[in-house]
Amino acid sequence: ASDVYKRQDVDTPAIWRGPMVMKALEQMYNGVEWGKLDYLIVDLPPGTGDAQLSLAQSSKLSGSIIVSTPQDVALIDARKAISMFAKVNVGLLGLLENMSWFECEHGTRYHLFGKGGGQREAELMGVPLLAQIPIDPGTRERCDEGEPVALLDPVKSPISAAFRQAAEALPVPSG
């Protein structure tokens, strides 16, 4: 019976209305003693909804990083997010291109979602392209195991190297 309960718990969605999301974000941002941080990165779903707007309005964000895949339809959403953050006076630190390519075991790169979209968008917005993160089945496996791929040896892991490149491309915070 406990296995059935665990499975149901995993399959049960968390259904939160806007005010619940806003309260949870406010508690996380203002109610946690974070200590001295260079950056606090909050991964939000794509778009310009309650979560993004609430966080931008109720906290002192120093900047945003937009994550997009390289295809045009995803970049349209990225532009909307960039515009929303600009309207609430949150600067853009850079663009990170996810799912940039898939590299097969023979070393051939396949740009499944188009090539160069993130670079073009970053140039258009006048911000750095922080990194291009390829599709990697090993990354999915590590994530399922709870192993942060960014902590792997960057010499052996191109994904880890890409995340390190993105972190190093961020401006050094002042203060």
Side-chain angles (χ1 to χ4, degrees), residues 80-99:
K80 289 177 184 179
I82 290 166
S83 178
M84 184 215 57
F85 281 118
K87 287 182 183 200
V88 293
N89 298 315
V90 175
L92 183 59
L93 299 174
L95 183 81
L96 187 109
E97 186 182 84
N98 197 17
M99 297 193 284

Side-chain angles (χ1 to χ4, degrees), residues 6-7 43 150 172 175:
K6 287 178 185 175
R7 184 70 211 174
D43 184 6
V172 177

Side-chain angles (χ1 to χ4, degrees), residues 153-169:
D153 180 350
V155 173
K156 295 179 183 176
S157 170
I159 306 298
S160 178
F163 279 113
R164 183 176 300 265
Q165 173 190 338
E168 290 172 352

Side-chain angles (χ1 to χ4, degrees), residues 27-108:
Q27 286 178 337
M28 186 235 16
Y29 191 77
N30 296 314
V32 174
E33 182 60 47
W34 293 104
K36 182 164 175 31
L37 300 174
D38 289 334
Y39 286 98
L40 174 62
I41 297 176
V42 180
D43 184 6
L44 298 172
T48 56
D50 281 344
Q52 293 85 344
L53 190 57
S54 297
L55 189 61
Q57 290 178 330
S58 68
S59 58
K60 296 177 179 88
L61 297 181
S62 58
S64 62
I65 298 171
I66 302 299
V67 179
S68 181
T69 53
Q71 76 264 37
D72 289 341
V73 71
L75 291 165
I76 290 168
D77 283 343
R79 274 183 230 115
K80 289 177 184 179
I82 290 166
S83 178
M84 184 215 57
F85 281 118
K87 287 182 183 200
V88 293
N89 298 315
V90 175
L92 183 59
L93 299 174
L95 183 81
L96 187 109
E97 186 182 84
N98 197 17
M99 297 193 284
S100 298
W101 66 82
F102 171 76
E103 189 169 322
C104 74
E105 64 272 2
H106 305 296
T108 303

